[in-house]
Amino acid sequence: MSEQPRSERFEFTDAASSQGPAHDHGASDPGALPDETLAEVNNQMRDIAEVPAVEVITTAAVHLMSAAAVKCGLAAEENAEELKDLDEARKLIIALAGLITAAAPEIGSQHAGPLRDGLKSLQLAFREASPFPDAPGAGPGEKFTGQVYG
């Protein structure tokens, strides 16, 4: 693919107003978006276009890590045990492992290393929190990362 920026720009529009007169629902259409909302969405889209891919990837990984930590019962609040949900934690850790494994060659070791460390900590926390720990190599995300050792 060419590294040249694309000349065309995508803009969100109100679908009701862009369908033509046959589908004109008038100004009272409850599904119609106000012009201010459309402008804000388009501004946000332009803003995200300026963010480097490595930042988007690492931000997504940090969100997955944070959610998995809470679901493993590692929240700082007094109700951390109530927030624990190992089934949900497993899903989040697997998604995180897949993301980090797939993205590591693209984002480089300086970014992937700390993410891998966080993932390993979550995998160990999951094993510790589980009343019936998975067999070695069968824990969440270990099919992507290999067996995790404590």
Side-chain angles (χ1 to χ4, degrees), residues 55-129:
E55 190 173 328
V56 174
I57 292 166
T58 56
T59 300
V62 168
H63 284 295
L64 288 168
M65 277 187 199
S66 298
V70 170
K71 299 294 185 176
C72 282
L74 301 175
E77 290 83 30
E78 296 170 7
N79 65 343
E81 194 61 32
E82 295 171 23
L83 300 174
K84 184 166 39 172
D85 185 338
L86 295 179
D87 184 48
E88 291 289 303
R90 177 182 298 276
K91 293 171 187 170
L92 291 163
I93 293 169
I94 291 169
L96 176 63
L99 174 62
I100 293 172
T101 302
E106 303 300 323
I107 64 175
S109 60
Q110 69 274 21
H111 297 287
L115 294 176
R116 284 188 185 116
D117 292 344
L119 171 60
K120 179 181 177 182
S121 295
L122 284 170
Q123 289 171 311
L124 292 171
F126 181 90
R127 181 171 289 144
E128 188 175 304

Side-chain angles (χ1 to χ4, degrees), residues 13 19 21-22 28 38 42 83 94 98 141-142 149:
T13 60
Q19 291 178 350
S28 63
L38 292 174
N42 285 317
L83 300 174
I94 291 169
E142 290 184 355
Y149 300 96

